[in-house]
Amino acid sequence: DLDPVAFEQVTIGAAATGLTPSKGAYLALVQVKAQPVVWRDDGTDPTASVGHDAPVGTIMEVMGASLGSFRAIRTGTDSTLNVTYYGIRQ
């Protein structure tokens, strides 16, 4: 079972931006707000045209090692990601 351990809002602009997972986080639910973004979770920065497209309203599950390597960039104007982190219940 998983328990929520933290929440953050991340502004996504013209430079690739990552998440800030809290200690003990295993999974993040990431929701795209405001404007579409492009993302990668392989440790390489996305560009506005290279990576996975995520339109407004997309909810992604990011887990494990991908939490530290997830990066997103805007495709137009700045966007926001709402992120809830979950840890494994002890």
Side-chain angles (χ1 to χ4, degrees), residues 9 17 20 28-29 31 37 41-42 49 58 62 66 75 77 80 85:
Q9 281 193 317
T17 303
T20 311
L29 289 183
Q31 181 184 30
V37 300
D41 66 354
D42 61 355
S49 61
T58 298
V62 181
S66 292
T75 59
T77 59
T80 303
Y85 295 100

Side-chain angles (χ1 to χ4, degrees), residues 21-76:
S22 65
K23 183 175 177 151
Y26 171 75
L27 169 84
L29 289 183
V30 180
Q31 181 184 30
V32 180
K33 304 288 283 183
Q35 298 295 324
V37 300
V38 175
W39 65 273
R40 291 179 69 157
D41 66 354
D42 61 355
T44 300
D45 286 349
T47 68
S49 61
V50 178
H52 300 283
D53 294 324
V56 173
T58 298
I59 298 176
M60 300 171 273
E61 291 185 7
V62 181
M63 68 178 70
S66 292
L67 286 173
S69 56
F70 179 92
R71 311 279 287 163
I73 194 168
R74 69 182 190 193
T75 59

